[in-house]
Each structure stands twice: as structure tokens, then as C-alpha cells.
Amino acid sequence: MGSSRAGYEIPPGAGINTGRKHEPLPLSELLNSRFWEYKMHFGESYLQAATMLQPVGGMDAIAKAFEQRVGRLIRYKAEVTEIKQNSDGVQVIYRDRKSNQYQSVDGKFAICTIPLSVLTNIKADFSKEHQAAITVGASSYNRAVKVGFQSKRRFWEEDYNIYGGISWTEADIIQMWYPSTGFHNPQGIIVGAYIWSNDISKRWEAMTFNQRLSLAISQGEKIHPGYNQEVSVANGCTVAWGKVPYSQGAWISWEQDSRKKAYQVLNEPEGNVYFAGDYMSYLSGWQEGAILSAHKIVNDITTRVQNS
Ligand SMILES: Cc1cc2nc3c(=O)[nH]c(=O)nc-3n(C[C@H](O)[C@H](O)[C@H](O)COP(=O)(O)OP(=O)(O)OC[C@H]3O[C@@H](n4cnc5c(N)ncnc54)[C@H](O)[C@@H]3O)c2cc1C
């Protein structure tokens, strides 16, 4: 008989209108879809469960708020090229990308927040053990790819009564995300692909932007017939984090074994260099992990200085 969980073909209403439920899908089809593996209860998992909050104005509002408070301390366009230690502490050498000149800063301690995927290619006089741990971490990154479109109209609301949430697919695009704000505005942004399987990501990284956008449209068409009339390559954008030079990956996914070994090595300072970032937490892939890690390292250094 099925349940109302899948919704109604005819919604229940007043009087004698009991509504008509969608025909249940055959059990074999449900099992074959592997939907049950995690997609069905994705929103129940510890890291994805309600209540989820979004920064007003977009995710970079958080970085901008930090900038407002500590911007005077930031050196922009400074690409770290080498980390060296000496008897006084740490020297960080960087290339000023405006002047193309190399400069350095010296300090007693350094907190390195460069992702391991990038750090692995930066010259440093780290111990073999630390360098090996960085190499392991660098090879553990998820290479997420996203596609987004500005849609002519909010067809998901007007035609499907979808207000936020995710459609999971078996296609490369994996997911389509619907905005959970701006309901009934004339237009909206739809996430047309959110790929976090490295095999698929690598194939998509090799495509041109337009190829990615076209493929996302044709795959989304299967979920929403007529989609290709609502979104277009001209109004799309895409990011492959594996190809972003200063990220070279989206977030780290430590294997159980490397959590026990490489992660533990990096949890200890290399001389006066400390490692911080979401990758040094059990909340990797989340800003909260980065912030908790920063707090931990500042405390570690404070304790070390107080005890010295
Ligand atoms: C697709 C995607 C979706 C996400 N969604 C969410 C979400 O919904 N919620 C959430 O909380 N988190 C999310 N995250 C995770 C969040 O972005 C990270 O947890 C957070 O940015 C980690 O902060 P961090 O300071 O450790 O590292 P980063 O933010 O990566 O900062 C590292 C910095 O080092 C700089 N850098 C790199 N190389 C050099 C160099 N050679 N010299 C100088 N600087 C260098 C980089 O430019 C960068 O600014 C998402 C991440 C991705 C990729």
C-alpha cells in the first residue's frame, strides 16, 4: 500500500478528499537504487541534521566578518614558498604576488593553516616523520565539484512545491540542491551538481566549464523534465576544488588508519611550527573544525610559553 512518506499524486484536502498516494516503488527497485545506503537518512546524520544555519549574505560573510576585525594583520597576495626553522624560531618566506619579490617574516612560532594538499609541495625543513604525514594527508583530499545555475524562474517551487532540500540522483551530478531562502522570488539559484566522489570529480575536472554545465543540464533534465528551458550554460558557473591552486582539494577525508598515524604526528608541533585547520579536527570539512583547531593551537602555544 505504501505510506504518505513519498507524498501524494492528489494531495488530501477538505470534505471527502482523502488524497491519492503515489504508487509505491517496487522493493527491488528501492534496493537497487542504493538510496538506503546513506542518501535516505543523510539529513539524520550528526553533521547534517537540523538545525542547519546559513550565514546571511552567503558563506563568505564569515570570512568578511573576520576580515573586518583582524584585516589589518593580513598580508594579501603573499604566497608562502618556504618554511624554515632556526634557533630563534621560524622563518616563513613568501612571494609577494603584486611585486613578484620574495620576502620573509620571522617569529618565535608559526601556525600553519595551509591545506596539506598545498603544503606538501612547499619547501620546508620538517622532519621526515612530519613530511611523510603531510604526504599522507595530502593524498586524502576529497575533490568536490559543484555546478550552479541562475534559473529563469523558481520552477522547483512553482511546479513541484519544493522548498529547499536535495534531490539525490544516480547520475554524475549526484545531487541537486534547492535554495532554502528567497521563497517565491522571481528567480533563484539552483545547485545543479554537487559531486564528492573522486572518480567522478576527476572526470569532470578534465572537462571545460561549458562541458560541465551542459552535462549537468542534460542529467538534471531526467529529474526535472523541461529543466533545459529553465537553466542555461550562459547562466551557470562551476568550481572543481581539486583545480583551485591554493586549495587543491575540497576537504580532507582521513582514513581510519591515517587518523591513527599521520594525524597524530601532525597533532604535535614540528619544532615551533604548529598545524591548524579543519583537517586537524574531527570536524574536517566544516568551519567549526577549523575554529576549534585554531583555539586548540593557541592554547597549546600559550601553555608552552607559560611553562617555559
Ligand atoms: C564545496 C565545499 C563546501 C563546504 N561547505 C561547508 C559548509 O556548508 N559549512 C561549513 O562549515 N564548512 C563548509 N566547507 C568547509 C570549509 O570551507 C572549511 O572547513 C574551512 O574553509 C577550513 O578553514 P581553514 O582555515 O582550515 O582552511 P582554508 O579555508 O582552506 O584556508 C586555507 C588558506 O590558506 C591559503 N593558502 C593556501 N596555500 C597558500 C600559500 N602557499 N601561501 C599562503 N596562503 C595559502 C588559502 O588561500 C586559504 O585562504 C565546505 C568546503 C567546500 C570545499
Side-chain angles (χ1 to χ4, degrees):
M1 290 216 8
S3 74
S4 58
R5 192 177 182 282
Y8 285 80
E9 242 166 66
I10 300 170
I16 58 166
N17 180 7
T18 55
R20 189 163 75 222
K21 288 180 210 138
H22 283 296
E23 278 295 309
L25 294 168
L27 181 62
S28 58
E29 208 170 302
L30 286 174
L31 294 178
N32 285 340
S33 77
R34 307 176 82 88
F35 184 62
W36 44 271
E37 273 181 353
Y38 72 92
K39 294 171 181 170
M40 191 170 116
H41 48 272
F42 182 73
E44 312 288 323
S45 60
Y46 180 74
L47 294 174
Q48 302 291 344
T51 304
M52 297 287 268
L53 301 177
Q54 293 173 296
V56 174
M59 202 54 96
D60 63 354
I62 293 182
K64 285 179 182 157
F66 271 107
E67 188 191 26
Q68 266 177 11
R69 287 161 182 79
V70 296
R72 66 190 186 285
L73 303 173
I74 302 173
R75 281 182 209 195
Y76 292 98
K77 306 244 177 234
E79 180 189 328
V80 172
T81 54
E82 189 174 353
I83 301 170
K84 289 201 280 196
Q85 302 208 52
N86 53 45
S87 52
D88 291 331
V90 188
Q91 182 173 60
V92 174
I93 297 163
Y94 65 91
R95 182 170 69 93
D96 181 337
R97 294 182 58 218
K98 281 173 287 183
S99 64
N100 212 22
Q101 300 292 309
Y102 285 84
Q103 301 188 17
S104 62
V105 263
D106 294 271
K108 182 76 188 155
F109 298 102
I111 303 175
C112 177
T113 62
I114 296 173
L116 298 181
S117 45
V118 179
L119 185 62
T120 191
N121 292 317
I122 292 178
K123 198 171 163 197
D125 54 7
F126 296 147
S127 67
K128 276 196 181 135
E129 200 189 15
H130 271 82
Q131 199 58 61
I134 291 166
T135 308
V136 170
S139 64
S140 310
Y141 274 73
N142 186 296
R143 310 173 70 88
V145 177
K146 268 189 184 179
V147 169
F149 294 104
Q150 180 168 43
S151 183
K152 284 186 195 147
R153 64 185 184 102
R154 299 169 78 95
F155 65 87
W156 53 92
E157 292 171 5
E158 290 176 22
D159 303 349
Y160 297 93
N161 291 324
I162 294 176
Y163 293 87
I166 301 174
S167 282
W168 292 96
T169 83
E170 291 299 300
D172 277 5
I173 53 171
I174 301 187
Q175 315 167 51
M176 297 176 83
W177 280 27
Y178 310 94
S180 50
T181 57
F183 297 148
H184 294 300
N185 279 350
Q187 294 186 323
I189 306 283
I190 185 168
V191 174
Y194 192 173
I195 301 165
W196 52 39
S197 150
N198 279 0
D199 290 345
I200 303 174
S201 292
K202 282 182 189 158
R203 273 193 275 115
W204 282 56
E205 281 172 13
M207 296 178 202
T208 63
F209 280 17
N210 283 2
Q211 284 171 334
R212 278 189 224 153
L213 298 172
S214 301
L215 189 54
I217 294 173
S218 66
Q219 294 189 351
E221 181 72 24
K222 293 200 176 130
I223 305 290
H224 296 298
Y227 184 54
N228 59 13
Q229 302 302 308
E230 310 288 352
V231 298
S232 65
V233 168
N235 288 329
C237 65
T238 171
V239 177
W241 273 268
K243 292 187 84 175
V244 175
Y246 298 111
S247 299
Q248 297 193 32
W251 54 80
I252 205 162
S253 297
W254 290 105
E255 299 285 341
Q256 244 181 341
D257 187 52
S258 42
R259 270 278 185 209
K260 285 195 199 126
K261 295 177 188 155
Y263 179 82
Q264 301 304 331
V265 171
L266 297 173
N267 205 29
E268 297 298 325
E270 159 65 31
N272 285 10
V273 178
Y274 287 75
F275 302 92
D278 68 336
Y279 69 87
M280 285 312 301
S281 76
Y282 282 86
L283 296 167
S284 48
W286 294 92
Q287 292 164 85
E288 186 182 348
I291 288 165
L292 291 176
S293 169
H295 286 178
K296 177 201 176 286
I297 295 304
V298 169
N299 279 329
D300 285 357
I301 295 176
T302 307
T303 308
R304 181 165 157 187
V305 170
Q306 282 169 346
N307 292 339
S308 63

